[in-house]
Amino acid sequence: MASSVEQKDAPETKDQENETAAEKFNVEAAEVLATSAQRLPLAQAAPIYEQLLQLYPTAAKFWKQYVEANMAANNDDATKQIFSRCLLNCLQVPLWRCYIRFIRKVNEKKGAEGQEETRKAFDFMLSHVGTDIASGPIWMEYITFLKSLPALHGQEESQRMIALRKVYQRAIITPTHHVEQLWREYEIFENSVNRQLAKGLISEFQQKYNSARAVYRERKKYFEEIDWNMLAVPPTGSSKKSCSYSVFLCFISNFRTNPQRIDSDSSNKRIIFTYEQCLMYLYHYPDIWYDYATWNAKSGSVDAAIRVYQRALKALPDSEMLKYAYAELEESRGAIQPARKIYESLLGDGANTNALAYIQFIRFLRRNQGVEAARKYFLDARKSPNCTYQVYVAYALMAFCLDKDPKIAHNVFEAGLKRFMQEPAYILEYVDFLYRLNDDRNIRALFERALSSLPPEKSVEVWKRFVQFEQTYGDLASMLKVEQRRKEAFSSIDEDPGSVLEDSLEEVVSRYSFMDLYPCSTKDLDQLARQEWLVKHMGKKSGVSNGPSRGGERGPPNLPSYSNLPTKFVDSDTSRTMASRQKPVDNTTVASTTVAGFNGVPNALSNSVGPLASSGATGPFDEVLKATPPALLSFFGKLTHS
């Protein structure tokens, strides 16, 4: 365990990071180490506790063990110091009861002064954990303490009764495990003081007590589903952690609805307590920190929200999400310099700055310091080896959309093209920009420049967009020419170019479709796509270089199983699964239906079969998609919604 809590170098990959986190937050090893520390002398146990608490700063049970070891050694100064470090971040009843035991111990021989200090400690404790569903014993201990105070004369007795009544009345409206017992004790107390007065007070608080009891019964369901002894570790995706996370969200949601209809100040205190308690166990979950900060900001306490973000970034210093959210809050309230510091922390020293940090800082400068500041920073950022094509695209679009300066945007795209000509995504962003300018001459020139330098395997998407462009801006001759050039480009990398039909109706469908209008039915498109896949797939399986024969020629000798044919098509443009919806086929006609080139083979393609996408066998079909016209792919995408 000793090695598991030491700081490690930054992992090189995501898998290494996950492995390092699993080793670092070894819960079983931590539990074993904490147990062994209890059997050691304090001098040997203290370093172990410090090591554990550095890794698990919200582990109340470890803090409790640590402080109890010091209390047993009568080390009062160290005990006070430990409590000052943990109490406000660990709102757990057992730890706080340990605190009150310590306070009572050090004040038991101080007479009236010690009793007053103890009373203040009880009030302090109840103000922080008095709303805990398990806080009933604390309320009862406080009541017992107040009853034990000496009353030398009538005025002191009267003051003690008033204090007791106030504590009882706070306790009976708090949903705890002991709320019913406290109510019974309160009735006895009031009747023992004054029966006439008791009748009115009990009647007044009956409805409030009933409401607290009903809320308790509802919250008890959540309470019982949470493991209150678990340690705070980063999200692992385990079902147990996911369940606890979900229950905590429901717990918070229940408090935020204020089912007791108590005053807003009291309700907000309970909500804050619930968030704080939740963070003891979900300390490494950025969305909980964000939700807590956002709730504070929406409740009108921006300063509290800022404090939450500051704590969150101590817990999760590498969370970019929280940094952007924090910067957004500061900027929204006009605190530009604090927001800038956060952005600068994202940029770091520049050696490991990611492209997104550059982009967001340029946008921040544009919003708050103007066009020139953003331009100047972009010119500096583009010199960095970490400046990717996305930075160029972002700045160009900012110049075009915000500054209304298409000339600057065009110059930026051109400058980036010298550096990112091998990036198909950059080329397509540049194409989109030129589309907005309706500059068909430069669009065509850009396609030609890009396709002359891109290797065929990286040019698939660019060719698709070129075909789409010619279908919109070109004439029939230019459309046919680009489609033919695309075929020739792909034939150089196709392992079996003859396995794809020389000419296909799919190309006609692509040319003569518009938006969601197609020159054929769903059934026709489905059949075309399946035949294209079948031809390609069987050509490879059979090892026939010239593809399947047509007409009266014999087909491939080894016909693949029809159960391998897909019903779901993967669109490489959008990475979405597009399922063909088929109409029921009359069984009487299936037997007589044949696939071209395979006489007598039933058309099993219309039956529902195992999806290609889920089986992982997308390779053959992906190759067909490279040659599939864009409009046809778009049509497939709409089949799932038809």
Side-chain angles (χ1 to χ4, degrees):
M1 176 61 197
S3 63
S4 67
V5 297
E6 294 173 358
Q7 294 293 332
K8 299 182 183 293
D9 294 334
E12 297 179 1
T13 66
K14 193 67 178 175
D15 289 340
Q16 290 175 336
E17 182 179 347
N18 292 336
E19 291 175 6
T20 302
E23 293 175 3
K24 183 178 180 182
F25 294 95
N26 189 329
V27 173
E28 292 77 11
E31 297 282 7
V32 170
L33 195 59
T35 301
S36 66
Q38 289 181 298
R39 297 190 292 267
L40 297 173
L42 181 58
Q44 297 178 30
I48 296 175
Y49 284 124
E50 289 291 345
Q51 192 178 31
L52 286 169
L53 292 167
Q54 184 178 7
L55 193 60
Y56 302 101
T58 59
K61 60 182 179 181
F62 291 165
W63 284 109
K64 183 173 178 288
Q65 289 179 20
Y66 191 16
V67 79
E68 284 178 338
N70 281 273
M71 289 171 63
N74 293 316
N75 195 345
D76 292 351
D77 290 339
T79 301
K80 290 177 183 178
Q81 187 180 26
I82 295 169
F83 276 130
S84 68
R85 291 167 58 192
C86 69
L87 280 180
L88 297 182
N89 292 325
C90 298
L91 303 182
Q92 189 193 56
V93 169
L95 177 63
W96 280 79
R97 293 193 73 183
C98 183
Y99 160 73
I100 206 66
R101 286 200 307 272
F102 172 72
I103 295 297
R104 297 187 73 169
K105 174 188 171 185
V106 298
N107 288 288
E108 63 182 352
K109 296 180 180 179
K110 294 183 179 180
E113 182 183 350
Q115 291 169 355
E116 180 62 18
E117 287 298 318
T118 303
R119 187 191 63 78
K120 289 180 179 178
F122 268 113
D123 285 334
F124 175 68
M125 176 173 60
L126 288 169
S127 68
H128 285 85
V129 296
T131 58
D132 193 308
I133 196 172
S135 65
I138 296 178
W139 290 100
M140 297 170 73
E141 185 178 354
Y142 189 20
I143 289 168
T144 302
F145 168 75
L146 291 176
K147 288 180 178 179
S148 69
L149 293 178
L152 302 178
H153 46 76
Q155 186 176 359
E156 288 186 353
E157 178 66 19
S158 176
Q159 290 175 346
R160 185 176 67 173
M161 291 299 106
I162 291 172
L164 277 167
R165 179 175 288 116
K166 287 182 179 179
V167 175
Y168 268 124
Q169 289 175 351
R170 289 170 60 194
I172 60 176
I173 63 172
T174 304
T176 67
H177 295 313
H178 294 75
V179 66
E180 294 181 0
Q181 182 178 343
L182 285 163
W183 173 254
R184 290 193 297 269
E185 291 185 9
Y186 175 59
E187 288 182 307
I188 294 170
F189 166 76
E190 289 293 3
N191 282 304
S192 68
V193 175
N194 186 320
R195 285 188 174 274
Q196 283 297 113
L197 182 61
K199 195 172 182 180
L201 288 172
I202 291 172
S203 176
E204 177 186 347
F205 277 87
Q206 180 76 54
Q207 186 175 356
K208 295 179 181 178
Y209 156 70
N210 289 338
S211 177
R213 184 176 60 177
V215 169
Y216 159 69
R217 289 174 178 172
E218 178 66 24
R219 289 178 183 165
K220 183 182 178 184
K221 300 174 186 177
Y222 304 125
F223 180 85
E224 291 174 344
E225 293 184 34
I226 296 173
D227 179 5
W228 296 97
N229 287 313
M230 68 180 179
L231 297 176
V233 298
T236 61
S238 70
S239 57
K240 183 177 180 181
K241 285 290 180 184
S242 299
C243 180
S244 296
Y245 172 83
S246 301
V247 174
F248 266 119
L249 291 184
C250 293
F251 210 33
I252 292 171
S253 178
N254 181 270
F255 273 89
R256 288 177 65 166
T257 59
N258 190 12
Q260 274 187 262
R261 300 295 180 263
I262 56 179
D263 63 274
S264 59
D265 287 342
S266 298
S267 175
N268 287 344
K269 287 179 181 178
R270 292 186 180 184
I271 294 170
I272 290 170
F273 167 78
T274 308
Y275 272 115
E276 293 289 349
Q277 197 172 54
C278 175
L279 286 169
M280 287 176 59
Y281 304 96
L282 303 180
Y283 186 70
H284 299 279
Y285 286 66
D287 49 332
I288 301 296
W289 287 105
Y290 174 73
D291 193 51
Y292 187 17
T294 303
W295 175 81
N296 273 293
K298 289 182 177 180
S299 299
S301 184
V302 177
D303 291 339
I306 289 172
R307 289 193 294 272
V308 170
Y309 276 125
Q310 290 170 346
R311 289 171 55 199
L313 291 175
K314 287 182 180 179
L316 301 167
D318 297 327
S319 175
E320 293 183 25
M321 298 181 290
L322 289 175
K323 288 182 180 180
Y324 284 123
Y326 181 19
E328 182 180 277
L329 178 63
E330 292 283 21
E331 185 181 354
S332 66
R333 72 182 191 129
I336 305 304
Q337 285 306 313
R340 183 183 179 116
K341 288 182 179 179
I342 300 168
Y343 277 107
E344 288 172 348
S345 73
L346 283 158
L347 293 167
D349 58 4
N352 297 309
T353 305
N354 62 45
L356 184 61
Y358 286 130
I359 293 169
Q360 297 303 336
F361 189 50
I362 290 171
R363 289 177 174 177
F364 170 79
L365 291 174
R366 171 65 178 76
R367 290 193 301 269
N368 295 285
Q369 296 182 29
V371 176
E372 187 59 29
R375 185 190 69 83
K376 183 177 179 181
Y377 188 78
F378 168 71
L379 293 177
D380 289 338
R382 70 175 186 168
K383 299 173 185 176
S384 168
N386 297 321
C387 181
T388 62
Y389 73 87
Q390 291 95 335
V391 179
Y392 279 78
V393 172
Y395 184 72
L397 294 180
M398 187 176 71
F400 180 61
C401 299
L402 298 180
D403 304 337
K404 313 300 181 186
D405 194 335
K407 183 177 180 181
I408 292 293
H410 190 276
N411 291 341
V412 171
F413 271 117
E414 275 297 313
L417 199 62
K418 298 174 184 177
R419 185 171 173 179
F420 305 112
M421 180 63 86
Q422 296 299 308
E423 291 286 353
Y426 181 78
I427 294 165
L428 296 179
E429 289 289 345
Y430 193 1
V431 167
D432 286 340
F433 165 72
L434 294 174
Y435 262 115
R436 296 183 186 185
L437 300 181
N438 201 28
D439 189 353
D440 60 304
R441 183 175 62 85
N442 278 323
I443 293 174
R444 190 174 279 108
L446 176 59
F447 276 126
E448 296 292 353
R449 289 165 63 191
L451 291 170
S452 66
S453 63
L454 280 174
E457 62 272 10
K458 295 180 68 175
S459 66
V460 174
E461 301 303 319
V462 179
W463 274 113
K464 285 183 179 180
R465 291 291 293 278
F466 196 7
V467 170
Q468 289 176 334
F469 166 76
E470 290 296 349
Q471 289 173 354
T472 303
Y473 285 86
D475 54 24
L476 181 59
S478 64
M479 279 192 290
L480 297 176
K481 182 179 179 181
V482 170
E483 287 180 4
Q484 182 59 35
R485 287 176 59 194
R486 182 174 72 157
K487 286 182 185 179
E488 293 170 358
F490 290 147
S491 68
S492 63
I493 61 171
D494 198 332
E495 296 177 4
D496 190 10
S499 64
V500 180
L501 295 175
E502 183 70 21
D503 296 295
S504 170
L505 270 177
E506 292 172 359
E507 296 169 358
V508 176
V509 172
S510 177
R511 287 195 291 270
Y512 293 98
S513 300
F514 183 75
M515 296 179 68
D516 59 346
L517 304 176
Y518 301 89
C520 58
S521 67
T522 300
K523 183 178 178 181
D524 292 335
L525 258 294
D526 180 72
Q527 185 67 12
L528 282 173
R530 289 169 179 275
Q531 286 178 339
E532 181 77 10
W533 184 90
L534 181 64
V535 169
K536 178 74 174 179
H537 184 70
M538 289 195 301
K540 288 185 177 292
K541 289 284 186 181
S542 63
V544 179
S545 60
N546 293 325
S549 56
R550 305 176 193 172
E553 297 179 287
R554 295 178 61 188
N558 299 319
L559 192 66
S561 169
Y562 285 103
S563 63
N564 293 326
L565 296 178
T567 55
K568 290 187 178 180
F569 304 102
V570 181
D571 183 351
S572 58
D573 282 333
T574 62
S575 298
R576 292 180 301 180
T577 300
M578 302 181 296
S580 295
R581 296 177 57 189
Q582 302 159 42
K583 298 178 182 178
V585 180
D586 189 344
N587 292 331
T588 60
T589 62
V590 170
S592 62
T593 307
T594 61
V595 179
F598 302 104
N599 297 328
V601 179
N603 184 6
L605 298 178
S606 297
N607 297 332
S608 177
V609 293
L612 180 68
S614 63
S615 69
T618 57
F621 189 62
D622 281 342
E623 294 175 8
V624 175
L625 284 173
K626 293 179 181 179
T628 304
L632 185 57
L633 292 175
S634 175
F635 182 81
F636 292 155
K638 293 181 173 61
L639 294 181
T640 57
H641 306 293
S642 61

